[in-house]
Amino acid sequence: MDYALRKRILVTGGAGFLGSHLCERLLADGHDVICVDNFFTGTKDNIAHLLSNPYFELMRHDVTFPLYVEVDEIYNLACPASPIHYQQDPVQTTKTSVHGAINMLGLAKRVKAKIFQASTSEVYGDPVEHPQPESYWGNVNPIGPRSCYDEGKRCAETLFFDYRRQHGLRIKVARIFNTYGPRMHPNDGRVVSNFIVQALRGEPLTLYGDGTQSRSFCYVDDLIEGFVRLMNSPDKLAGPMNLGNPGEFTMIELAETIRDLTGSSSALVHKPLPTDDPRQRQPDISLARSALDWEPKVPLREGLKPTIAYFEQLLQQLGTRH
């Protein structure tokens, strides 16, 4: 790549599931990448293969503290993103979303960088509109066990748009729906990783409630393509923009697909539904289709194959595969 076109790009949460795939993509596109992570949920295993790349730099840092680097673009992905992790230290989760946003926006303002916020479909709460368009304001419990994440991310969006209005910052806000793929955390409590690990271990697959609640699953490569297209879009397109797969599956359908692909004979067991767990989650991606010419390409069965292969290898390393 021409030196003049090489961008210096900061990725916070860069050792996490999405962050590591994004770092990989940006390096492949010929950029200089600074990966920042405090390793609360991220792991060096996710980025170990990048450490020898001269254009990749790893910094152990917590975004709730200011950071002083010179960069052209910032992708702010730092935040535990699964209920098991974000409820472990809910105060820190809110701080990561809010103080982290303030610190990264302050950095972007100082160095005149374009900045991307990894927001979430959780800003819609337990939606009464289905599917969820970006214009929907959501139905969020502000004082429940999930509020540290939901309201933290909502507040971060507020900050991003206020920095845009007040300081003319170039911002991009993506609302990410359920995403899966290799490097998911095996103990994150998310349904795809839960089902795969349980199936590979020959344990019963745990369904919460009656299993008819639905989710939409986007393969990680499709999502990262959406990130890059949004970041590279004209400045007037700030978002928020839904990024996810509009194909909807019930939990029973997902469990049966994973059981089939793993060749498992695991039984399905039902447990009570967690507090404030949304019954439906499906993105309206009309805006991403029209503005970015983006939509997911990888069907669920095809994306699950490399994901299952990743977990198989991981469990063999841990010696817990039956």
Side-chain angles (χ1 to χ4, degrees):
M1 180 184 245
D2 178 358
Y3 175 73
L5 298 175
R6 185 185 294 281
K7 290 182 206 152
R8 294 164 302 174
I9 303 178
L10 170 66
V11 179
T12 73
F17 162 46
L18 296 180
S20 61
H21 284 277
L22 177 60
C23 287
E24 217 167 43
R25 166 65 189 269
L26 296 172
L27 287 165
D29 287 350
H31 300 300
D32 239 323
V33 175
I34 301 175
C35 165
V36 162
D37 210 295
N38 69 344
F39 299 105
F40 176 60
T41 56
T43 165
K44 283 187 183 166
D45 292 335
N46 288 342
I47 41 112
H49 62 296
L50 304 177
L51 292 172
S52 59
N53 188 319
Y55 298 105
F56 180 77
E57 188 179 340
L58 174 63
M59 291 177 72
R60 183 186 288 267
H61 180 83
D62 186 325
V63 294
T64 59
F65 298 95
L67 180 64
Y68 301 98
V69 288
E70 304 302 316
V71 291
D72 304 305
E73 291 180 355
I74 301 165
Y75 285 86
N76 185 37
L77 274 61
C79 190
S82 72
I84 278 184
H85 291 140
Y86 66 62
Q87 289 168 356
Q88 201 172 323
D89 188 345
V91 172
Q92 186 61 27
T93 296
T94 305
K95 282 182 177 177
T96 302
S97 284
V98 178
H99 291 184
I102 290 167
N103 287 329
M104 290 307 114
L105 286 160
L107 172 61
K109 182 184 162 200
R110 182 178 71 80
V111 299
K112 298 183 171 54
K114 192 177 353 178
I115 182 166
F116 175 104
Q117 167 66 1
S119 191
T120 171
S121 60
E122 297 295 334
V123 300
Y124 299 122
D126 189 2
V128 292
E129 262 190 52
H130 188 76
Q132 295 84 54
E134 290 88 352
S135 55
Y136 177 49
W137 289 356
N139 175 37
V140 175
N141 174 1
I143 57 166
R146 297 171 77 103
S147 311
C148 58
Y149 185 70
D150 301 6
E151 294 289 29
K153 288 288 194 181
R154 284 165 70 97
C155 183
E157 284 196 16
T158 304
L159 285 159
F160 267 70
F161 281 90
D162 281 337
Y163 264 80
R164 183 179 192 234
R165 282 184 284 262
Q166 197 171 331
H167 302 297
L169 228 60
R170 294 175 297 151
I171 67 161
K172 306 286 177 181
V173 176
R175 290 178 177 164
I176 303 165
F177 283 70
N178 292 54
T179 306
Y180 69 98
R183 300 189 208 136
M184 288 183 86
H185 199 292
N187 303 320
D188 63 6
R190 291 183 176 187
V191 66
V192 172
S193 40
N194 264 7
F195 283 171
I196 292 175
V197 169
Q198 288 170 339
L200 290 174
R201 286 178 171 164
E203 297 167 359
L205 272 57
T206 310
L207 290 159
Y208 293 94
D210 59 8
T212 59
Q213 66 272 40
S214 67
R215 293 291 184 273
S216 311
F217 301 101
C218 185
Y219 188 61
V220 62
D221 291 357
D222 282 335
L223 185 79
I224 297 302
E225 176 66 27
F227 281 12
V228 172
R229 286 194 193 195
L230 178 56
M231 185 62 120
N232 295 338
S233 65
D235 289 349
K236 66 178 187 296
L237 187 67
M241 183 179 287
N242 289 339
L243 292 177
N245 195 323
E248 198 177 1
F249 294 86
T250 67
M251 297 300 94
I252 289 175
E253 287 172 327
L254 177 68
E256 287 171 346
T257 304
I258 287 172
R259 204 162 54 167
D260 178 40
L261 287 171
T262 55
S264 166
S265 54
S266 296
L268 305 182
V269 297
H270 293 261
K271 289 193 175 176
L273 206 59
T275 308
D276 297 333
D277 191 53
R279 281 211 56 80
Q280 290 178 305
R281 185 69 93 220
Q282 182 189 19
D284 178 335
I285 61 165
S286 313
L287 178 60
R289 277 196 180 109
S290 61
L292 303 179
D293 190 27
W294 176 88
E295 64 181 340
K297 301 275 194 291
V298 181
L300 182 63
R301 283 185 78 89
E302 292 314 301
L304 282 171
K305 289 172 188 173
T307 311
I308 289 166
Y310 167 78
F311 278 108
E312 251 181 326
Q313 191 180 4
L314 193 68
L315 292 181
Q316 274 163 359
Q317 286 169 356
L318 298 170
T320 55
R321 170 83 209 266
H322 282 303

